[in-house]
Amino acid sequence: MVYRAHILICAHPQCLDKGASEVEAELLKQLEAQGLKDEVQVVEVDGLGRPHQGPEMVIYPEGTHYVGLSPEVIPHIVEEHLLKGRPVLAMTYKEPPSEPLEAPAAKEVRVVLRNVGKIDPDNIEDYIAEDGYMALAKVLSEMTPQQVIDEVLRSGLRGRGGAGFPTGRKWAFAASAPGDVKYVVCNGDEGDPGAFMNRRVLEGDPHAVLEGMAIAAYAIGAHQGYIYVRAEYPIAVRTLRLAIQQAREYGLLGKNILGSGFDFDVEVRMGAGAFVCGEETALMASIEGKRGMPRTRPPFPAVSGLWGKPTNINNVETYANVPQIILKGAAWFASMGTEKSKGTKTFAIAGKVKRTGLIEVPLGITLREIVYDVGGGILNDKKFKAVQTGGPMGGCIPEQYLDTPVDYETLGQLGSIMGSGGFVVMDEDTCMVDIARFFMEFTQDESCGKCVPCRVGTRRMLEILNDICAGKGKPGDIEELERLAEYIRKGSLCGLGQGAPNPVLSTLKYFREEYEAHIYEKRCPAKVCRALIEYKIDAAACIGCTRCARNCPVNAISGTVKQPHVIDPEVCIRCGICQQVCPVNAVHVE
Amino acid sequence: MKSLEELQKIKERALERRRLSAENARVRIVVAMGTCGIAAGARDTMKALLDEIERKQLADVVVTQTGCIGLCEYEPIVQVKVGDEEMVTYGKIDAARAGRIIEEHIVKGTPVAEWVVK
C-alpha cells in the first residue's frame, strides 16, 4: 500500500492528558468520511517535541506541524490540508520568542584557550598572526635546552592530565636520560564522561599543541613526536592532520626548522577509545601497536618509554600552555594561581547548572565561584548538593567545602582529584549512592583486567552498590565496600584502579547517611532508586477522573469513576506517567 | 621557511591580510565549527549563510570558521562583525534563522536582538 500522506500523531502522556485520543478518533472518523482512509496513514508516536502545546500532529510530506488540536478543528484540517492541499497555517507550530542567552561572567582567564574560538584553525597564518611559532623561534634562536627546561620549571606548570607532576621536572628527566633517540608524546586520549577540554583545544588551536611539542622536543633532544587521539574525535584528527601538513609546508615542522639545524616532525596516532589508554604506559603500548595495558613503573617513560626509548609524555593542555610561558615568561605564568598550583585550568562544566560548557579559570578560584558565577547557579534554583571533579576517578565534594580554592592539593585533601577537568554539578534530586554506582559501572567496564584487585574488586563493589540501590542492601555492605576500596587502591598498578574507589569513598565520607537509609530503612532520600520508591495516590485529593488508570502502561491502577484510585505497587514499574497526567497532583512519591 | 626574519614577515603579511580584509569586506561572519557546533547543525547554518549571501549577491561579506567558543549549549553560534562595530554573538542559529540575520543585521544594519548572547 502506498500512502499519499502520513500523519504522525503524538501519544505522549502530556498530549494524551489533553485529549490526544479524542483527536485521533475524530481524525480517523473524518478520513473515513472523506474517503481518504486508504490514502492517508495515521501513526501514533511518542512525542513530537511540543507536548506542552499538544495535542500535536505532523502531516507529511509537507511536514506541517499542528499543535493545540481538538476534535472540533479536525474536520477543517482534513478538508483543507488533505483534500484541498492547503495547510491550515493558523493551527501550526510557531517558534516562540527565544529565551535570553547569557554568556558566563567575566571570571575566565584565557591562556590555553586564547585563540580557540577566535582564529580559523585550518589556516596556519591566522595562528602566526597571533604570535604563533614565535616561542619556538625564540627557543631555537636564543635559548639552550637547559634554559627552556629552567623556564618551564620556574613557571610552576604542572601536568594538566590530572596528576599534576611538575612539567619542567619531567622534561629534565627525559633530557638527562641517556640515549640518542628520544620521543615526545601528546596525550589526547580524553575519556572522562562529559569532558571535552582537550578536544576543544585540538580542534580550535591545533598549532599551539604542535608548537608546545616542538619546544619540548628541543628541550629533551627528541626529533619525533606522536599525538594520540581517539578515533571518536574525527574533527580533531582532521584538524590536526591539516595543521601538521601546513606546518611542514611552512618549514615549522620537518628538517632544519627556521634554519636552526633542529629537526622535528609529528604524527597522529588514533586510539580505539579504551579509557585505560589515557594512562601513559598503556597509551605508549597502544602507539606501539600492542594491547593498551599499563605496566609497572619504574622505569618511568622519561627513562624507558616508547619503544624503550626516553619519552616525554604530556597532556594536550600542558603543551598548549608552553608557548605562552616562553613568550611571556615564567614570572607572568606564576603570577596566576595558588602557591603550588600555577596558571589556569580548563573545566567542562556539566550537570545541574544553568550554563554548562567549557571554561578556563585561574587556579585558586573557589568551587562556589565556578558553580555560581561561571556556571550561573543551580538549574531551576534547586539546592546544591555536591560537585564531582576529576571524572570517574574523582570524588564528590559537598556544600560545606564550596569555598575551597581549587588546586591540586586541596582537591586531593577533600578526597577528590583535579583530573583532566571534569566538573559535574549535582542538585538535591541526585542520589549519591546511585552516582557512585554509575561511576563504578564505568570503571568496572573500563578496567583492563591486568590487576586482579581492579578487575575483580570493582565488579564486587559494583554488585554491592547494585544491591543497595535495588533495596537488597544488608548490614556490613558499607564496611565491605570500604575494605574492597582499600584493596583496590593499594593493589592496582595504574591510576584507573587506584582511583576507582574514589567516588564511593568520597560519597561514603560525606553522604554516609544516604547509604544507611538505603540499607537499613530501604529508603532512597533523593527518591531516585526505583526499587525504593513507591507511587501513591492521595485518596483525599483524587477526583476519580480515571486519567492515571487509562494512561498506566501496565494497568497497575484500579478504581471507578469519581472514586479515589489505587496503585498496586506489585504491578507498578515506577515510570511516573500517572504523576505527569494527574490534573490535581494527587500522585506523589514515597 | 628558513629563519626568524621570515616568520616575522609571514606574521606581518598575515596581519596585513587581516587589515585589508577588514577594509574590503564590510562584514565578517564567523561560524563556530567545533564538534559541538557541527553536532548542533553548524554545517547547515554555514551553507544557509553562504546561499543567502550568494542569492543576495553581497560582495562585501566574508564568512570564516573557528573552533568552540565555550558556549556549547548555544550552538550553532554565529558571530557577526560589521565595520568598526563591536562583534555580535548569536546563539542557536540553525539554517532557518540564517536568512533573518543576513537580512536584518547585514543588509539593514539592525542586529536581531532576541538571538544575541549577552
Side-chain angles (χ1 to χ4, degrees), chain A residues 171-206:
Chain A
W171 290 15
F173 288 143
S176 61
D180 43 356
V181 177
K182 295 180 184 180
Y183 296 107
V184 290
V185 174
C186 174
N187 185 346
D189 188 65
E190 188 170 47
D192 289 0
F196 47 102
M197 299 75 56
N198 295 348
R199 187 184 74 202
R200 184 175 173 199
V201 175
L202 293 172
E203 287 176 2
D205 197 11

Side-chain angles (χ1 to χ4, degrees), chain A residues 221-234:
Chain A
H223 303 291
Q224 178 64 46
Y226 293 93
I227 305 183
Y228 188 85
V229 190
R230 332 188 111 202
E232 66 209 55
Y233 281 4

Side-chain angles (χ1 to χ4, degrees), chain A residues 13-337:
Chain A
Q14 260 180 288
C15 283
L16 291 173
D17 177 34
K18 291 178 188 157
S21 307
E22 290 76 15
V23 170
E24 187 180 348
E26 180 65 24
L27 181 65
L28 294 172
K29 199 174 117 199
Q30 287 298 322
L31 291 175
E32 174 92 44
Q34 300 282 7
L36 295 169
K37 195 168 63 94
D38 296 332
E39 292 177 38
V40 180
Q41 185 188 30
V42 178
V43 181
E44 268 186 35
V45 294
D46 182 29
L48 288 165
R50 312 285 168 196
H52 50 286
Q53 291 185 43
E56 53 177 344
M57 66 178 182
V58 177
I59 300 185
Y60 286 102
E62 297 87 351
T64 313
H65 192 163
Y66 289 102
V67 289
L69 296 170
S70 63
E72 291 74 39
V73 303
I74 291 296
H76 183 60
I77 294 178
V78 169
E79 186 181 336
E80 283 294 305
H81 192 141
L82 295 167
L83 270 186
K84 300 181 182 165
R86 294 190 296 232
V88 184
L89 295 178
M91 297 294 299
T92 56
Y93 170 74
K94 289 173 201 67
E95 197 180 357
S98 345
E99 74 278 26
L101 307 177
E102 291 171 8
K107 295 238 167 167
E108 282 203 70
V109 177
R110 297 197 168 184
V111 177
V112 172
L113 299 175
R114 72 185 182 112
N115 291 326
V116 181
K118 274 190 196 161
I119 64 165
D120 179 353
D122 289 351
N123 184 351
I124 189 172
E125 293 206 4
D126 242 23
Y127 179 65
I128 294 174
E130 300 289 343
D131 285 331
Y133 289 104
M134 287 297 167
L136 178 62
K138 179 177 172 185
V139 162
L140 294 180
S141 61
E142 296 171 18
M143 296 170 83
T144 63
Q146 189 56 47
Q147 284 173 324
V148 176
I149 291 172
D150 290 344
E151 191 72 8
V152 173
L153 207 52
R154 266 200 307 275
S155 75
L157 176 64
R158 295 170 65 176
R160 294 294 190 247
F165 191 81
T167 306
R169 270 177 60 201
K170 213 177 205 180
W171 290 15
F173 288 143
S176 61
D180 43 356
V181 177
K182 295 180 184 180
Y183 296 107
V184 290
V185 174
C186 174
N187 185 346
D189 188 65
E190 188 170 47
D192 289 0
F196 47 102
M197 299 75 56
N198 295 348
R199 187 184 74 202
R200 184 175 173 199
V201 175
L202 293 172
E203 287 176 2
D205 197 11
H207 290 284
V209 180
L210 296 179
E211 188 178 2
M213 287 178 75
I215 292 168
Y218 175 74
I220 71 162
H223 303 291
Q224 178 64 46
Y226 293 93
I227 305 183
Y228 188 85
V229 190
R230 332 188 111 202
E232 66 209 55
Y233 281 4
I235 296 167
V237 171
R238 185 205 66 92
T239 310
L240 270 174
R241 288 201 166 135
L242 184 65
I244 291 169
Q245 188 196 326
Q246 289 182 353
R248 283 183 191 145
E249 282 163 13
Y250 277 71
L252 294 162
L253 283 179
K255 299 270 178 219
N256 192 17
I257 296 172
L258 293 169
S260 65
F262 173 65
D263 307 335
F264 180 64
D265 210 342
V266 177
E267 253 182 62
V268 178
R269 288 290 167 106
M270 280 193 280
F275 183 73
V276 76
C277 286
E279 197 279 338
E280 58 186 19
T281 59
L283 185 151
M284 290 186 299
S286 178
I287 290 182
E288 292 173 8
K290 296 176 188 147
R291 180 172 172 179
M293 275 187 160
R295 61 159 173 78
T296 46
R297 290 174 302 183
F300 285 92
V303 177
S304 173
L306 206 52
W307 290 294
K309 306 292 183 192
T311 303
N312 179 67
I313 175 162
N314 286 130
N315 168 267
V316 169
E317 192 179 333
T318 313
Y319 283 126
N321 268 304
V322 170
Q324 292 299 298
I325 291 171
I326 298 295
L327 278 184
K328 297 189 180 167
W332 161 80
F333 190 81
S335 71
M336 295 176 288

Side-chain angles (χ1 to χ4, degrees), chain A residues 540-551:
Chain A
C542 178
I543 54 170
C545 71
T546 74
R547 231 170 234 175
C548 54
R550 278 183 288 131
N551 285 307

